[in-house]
Amino acid sequence: MTDRSAIQATAPESRQSVRDPYIDEIIGPGKLYETETVLVSGVAHEVFRGAPRTLADIYQVAEALGDRTMIVNADQVFSYGEIFSRAAHLSKRLKQEFGTRRGTIVAIAMANSVEWVVALIAITAAGGTAALVNSRGSAEEIVHAISSVGCDLAILDDERTAMIEGANSDGGWAKLVLSPDKPQTRSKPPRKLHCEPVQPIDGAVILYTSGTTGRPKGALLSHGALAHAVTLSKVMGTLQDLIYERESGNRVPADRSSMAGPAMVLTPMFHLTGMLPVVRGMSLGATIHIMGKWNVDTAFDMIETSGLSRIAFVPTMLFDMVQSPRATPENLAALRHLAYGGGPLNMELVEEIRRRMPASVITNTYGQTENTGWACSLSGKAYLDNPQSCGWACPTVDVEVRREDGSRTDIDEPGELWVRSAAVMSGYVGDPEATRETLDAQGWCATGDIGKQDARGLFTILDRKKDMVISGGENIYCAEVERVLF
């Protein structure tokens, strides 16, 4: 059995390749996951053998599930067959009426809904690239986001349409309104989805990154990057199941494993954390529960009736849950996996989890839109022993800390984190200068985050590079000041 309690220091030259010790039990020749090397734009990347390489590969498997329940949204229930038939009708309409084809950029500016999912499938199946616009922005912000990446068409819901028309905003692109009250294709005869031929390097979606200053930039994620991120999420789910079983002594029921349980969308789908669970759910044939707005009672309803056993949260959500009168020992014990990102948890909340959910596995994952959400991760006892760390580099992902001159830092020396994997973005749409500043010729992506790596290979984020204050020649990390004040 792998022992994670006695993690040894590693030589400086080998720190980059250090992974969670349990990884070797599931990845390797003859094991559950095998890897191979492929060339992506001339750069060698490690990917998972036999895994999907485009969204079309995922759609083909998902569409065949037919009557299996795909989406539950409030009182609406849709099967895989219904959703893909609706997407097939819309995709045909996009091609015939709006000329959508390979390389066409089509915006989606809608709240979380069934129509949002249908639009994503339809656009990418037609060969287009879906620009996922912040539906919570102002009319001016929505119009700017759509226009900034060169959209030919925007798919809107009723609320966004009224906002844009009310502000007399018009970006010069065509509009298509999908209203949830009038499901345009549910009554039409079933149609099979036709996916136009695409390559892994072709653009699939554009996600907007806020950065620290200025307007959001559109990060282009390829089919290959998204498909690899989906497979990597399965691998990490398998790892978390293994950690739960080893550290709790309990078995994960087959119907509640990371590969079988329901998916829950808690955040806006225009974020990576809202969109990726949808695609991952499709790849697994899972039932995807869409929550338009966070509601703690809905979460407990799902625990009690749908078999929900893992939740990806922000700290406020988990605080709501542990404070709820429905937080019985049985309900809390059902949550085997608690996953979050974006920064360390408050230690008081960690202690609450230790006390009331002792068998649950907490996972802290570090990633960005630019690397499709996966860079480092840390779970279970290793996390509890190192709660400020964001973990080891994920499998198939290279992470290193660099000085300003590009050289690698020494152990515990702060520097900028750089990430390389098959899931790294292609670039910022319409912004070649920002792309050059972020990506290098060897496939590395500058995160803009200051961090360090210790002798065991664990990474810790210290601050954003642009937020750092220099006083008297000393670096002052704003994030550390904020933690002390908190």
Side-chain angles (χ1 to χ4, degrees):
M1 180 184 297
T2 303
D3 182 10
R4 293 165 94 234
S5 64
I7 304 166
Q8 301 297 316
T10 60
E13 63 272 12
S14 65
R15 279 181 290 135
Q16 179 178 311
S17 60
V18 176
R19 314 287 184 190
D20 188 305
Y22 278 142
I23 285 294
D24 290 339
E25 297 193 32
I26 60 175
I27 298 179
K31 297 180 182 176
L32 187 59
Y33 299 99
E34 296 187 25
T35 62
E36 61 184 353
T37 300
V38 300
L39 287 178
V40 180
S41 300
V43 177
H45 288 290
E46 189 180 17
V47 298
F48 295 100
R49 189 185 304 276
R53 295 289 292 130
T54 67
L55 293 184
D57 294 338
I58 294 173
Y59 297 160
Q60 182 179 12
V61 174
E63 186 177 21
L65 298 175
D67 293 336
R68 183 181 298 185
T69 299
M70 177 175 173
I71 293 178
V72 176
N73 182 26
D75 58 351
Q76 294 181 305
V77 179
F78 293 85
S79 70
Y80 274 85
E82 287 179 299
I83 292 297
F84 275 88
S85 179
R86 292 183 65 179
H89 282 283
L90 179 58
S91 187
K92 181 180 180 181
R93 185 180 177 190
L94 293 178
K95 288 184 284 188
Q96 293 183 346
E97 294 185 26
F98 299 96
T100 301
R101 59 190 182 279
R102 185 175 175 182
T104 301
I105 301 176
V106 180
I108 302 176
M110 297 190 286
N112 284 11
S113 62
V114 172
E115 287 69 30
W116 195 103
V117 177
V118 169
L120 174 68
I121 298 171
I123 294 165
T124 50
T129 301
L132 311 184
V133 175
N134 181 350
S135 60
R136 296 181 174 181
S138 67
E140 190 271 335
E141 289 168 334
I142 291 173
V143 169
H144 179 270
I146 295 171
S147 302
S148 67
V149 295
C151 290
D152 296 325
L153 169 69
I155 300 179
L156 312 168
D157 56 18
D158 292 329
E159 184 176 346
R160 256 46 60 177
T161 302
M163 285 174 59
I164 291 172
E165 291 176 351
N168 294 318
S169 298
D170 190 348
W173 19 262
K175 302 180 185 69
L176 174 60
V177 182
L178 296 185
S179 173
D181 296 328
K182 303 169 185 175
Q184 290 83 354
T185 59
R186 200 168 193 183
S187 60
K188 293 184 179 181
R191 174 181 290 277
K192 185 174 177 59
L193 182 70
H194 172 73
C195 292
E196 296 296 328
V198 292
Q199 298 299 315
I201 62 171
D202 289 336
V205 303
I206 296 170
L207 287 164
Y208 295 86
T209 62
S210 58
T212 54
T213 59
R215 290 184 182 272
K217 300 185 290 291
L220 177 63
L221 302 179
S222 68
H223 279 263
L226 270 180
H228 184 67
V230 166
T231 304
L232 187 52
S233 71
K234 297 179 189 177
V235 173
M236 299 307 290
T238 302
L239 174 65
Q240 290 156 22
D241 284 346
L242 177 63
I243 292 170
Y244 172 82
E245 292 188 342
R246 292 294 173 78
E247 295 184 353
S248 73
N250 301 320
R251 296 289 296 175
V252 176
D255 63 342
R256 303 292 177 90
S257 74
S258 64
M259 304 292 279
M264 189 173 184
V265 179
L266 298 175
T267 58
M269 292 178 183
F270 58 78
H271 285 312
L272 186 66
T273 53
M275 181 273 294
L276 199 58
V278 172
V279 184
R280 180 183 184 275
M282 287 187 221
S283 74
L284 293 171
T287 297
I288 304 164
H289 295 260
I290 299 175
M291 189 181 294
K293 184 178 181 181
W294 168 249
N295 183 290
V296 68
D297 285 322
T298 302
F300 278 113
D301 288 344
M302 290 188 60
I303 291 172
E304 294 171 359
T305 63
S306 303
L308 180 70
S309 63
R310 60 186 65 232
I311 184 171
F313 66 92
V314 297
T316 304
M317 293 177 180
L318 193 59
F319 183 81
D320 286 347
M321 294 187 74
V322 297
Q323 296 298 315
S324 169
R326 296 181 65 181
T328 63
E330 293 76 17
N331 277 340
L332 293 181
L335 287 174
R336 296 179 180 86
H337 303 280
L338 307 171
Y340 78 97
L345 277 183
N346 176 279
M347 288 309 299
E348 291 183 7
L349 186 54
V350 172
E351 291 304 318
E352 182 86 352
I353 295 169
R354 282 182 192 253
R355 183 175 65 85
R356 300 181 64 184
M357 308 165 71
S360 296
V361 172
I362 306 177
T363 297
N364 178 16
T365 298
Y366 165 70
Q368 297 178 313
T369 299
E370 287 85 347
N371 46 63
T372 322
W374 290 107
C376 305
S377 191
L378 191 63
S379 298
K381 187 177 184 300
Y383 165 80
L384 294 174
D385 291 341
N386 304 273
Q388 298 302 313
S389 171
C390 62
W392 290 286
C394 295
T396 72
V397 181
D398 293 324
V399 183
E400 64 181 35
V401 187
R402 296 182 183 179
R403 302 183 181 98
E404 285 290 334
D405 63 5
S407 60
R408 288 192 63 197
T409 59
D410 294 327
I411 289 173
D412 289 327
E413 178 187 353
E416 184 175 7
L417 269 70
W418 288 68
V419 176
R420 178 174 63 182
S421 80
V424 165
M425 71 171 183
S426 304
Y428 295 114
V429 178
D431 198 337
E433 182 178 351
T435 299
R436 285 191 296 270
E437 291 175 353
T438 306
L439 301 177
D440 71 11
Q442 288 73 48
W444 288 92
C445 176
T447 66
D449 287 326
I450 300 296
K452 62 181 181 179
Q453 187 182 24
D454 69 16
R456 302 163 299 170
L458 290 169
F459 291 91
T460 299
I461 305 300
L462 301 172
D463 211 347
R464 286 289 297 171
K465 186 176 181 180
K466 291 182 179 180
D467 291 346
M468 188 172 64
V469 176
I470 301 176
S471 177
E474 297 291 334
N475 293 339
I476 299 173
Y477 299 107
C478 296
E480 181 63 25
V481 175
E482 290 165 2
R483 281 195 289 270
V484 172
L485 291 175
F486 184 80

